[in-house]
Amino acid sequence: MANIQCQFYSETLGMSTNIQVMLPQHSALRASRDGKLPVLYLLHGLGADHTEWGRHSSIERLAEEKGIALVMPSVGRSYYTDMKKGAPYFTYLSEELPAVARSLFPLSERREDNFVAGISMGGYGAFKLGLSFPERYAAAASLSGGLDIVSRVNGPNSFLPFEVECIFGNIAELKGSENDLFVLASRLAASQQQPPHLYQCCGTGDFLYQDNLIFRNHAIAVGLTITYEEEPGEHEWGYWERKIKRVLDWLPL
């Protein structure tokens, strides 16, 4: 597995940014994709960065075994949004990052070869991408995701003082906005678009467990198909290490 630390200038963010890219050196999947690799975008949690997955999990070995490329961006504490008082990270993530990554590395552009997954804040980001752009992603996976963002900002949370308004703006307008996954799920279910495969898991001892149940129930109620799993576990890497292996086995490769 080639493990690449890549820094480039982002026109969207107006600054240099970092991604970690892992490319399998021997992948049988390339032969059927004109030399290109299927790719999983792996999103980090709140307070972390692009190195989190490589430092805390066995993702490099697991991806090599599957023959899949990994792209891990860094978005600060943006909660994968176009911040009201900050950088447009969601536009960067959804538009510029895939284009730059494909220009530099042998990554497939086909929907059926593009996937996204994340933990905690990154689980929210993964579902936001998948629900917003179902034509681009074949699968999206949330591990212990902060999926009920309205509940997060109005209840106990890990945001810094004044950070919520910088990210989301007027909190009273957050519910029903483009940052509300419940709205995105309902909109997609009512459309004629093919939804991505959705995978969601959360440990029963996780502080986000109830939020995950609420989102799962909503997704099912509006007509989305979702693979949901729960088991004893908390908000920590021992649990995510087990579940990311499950995600890679679940991906429609």
Side-chain angles (χ1 to χ4, degrees), residues 48-49 51-59 119 236-238 240-242 244:
D49 62 15
T51 66
E52 180 175 42
W53 279 97
R55 290 187 293 114
H56 296 300
S57 76
S58 301
I59 190 63
I119 55 168
E236 51 84 28
W237 275 102
W240 298 326
E241 170 77 2
R242 297 193 301 273
I244 193 58

Side-chain angles (χ1 to χ4, degrees), residues 208-220:
L208 292 174
Y209 175 62
Q210 290 300 322
D211 288 1
N212 273 263
L213 287 180
I214 292 170
F215 181 82
R216 177 205 63 182
N217 293 341
H218 175 79
I220 293 172

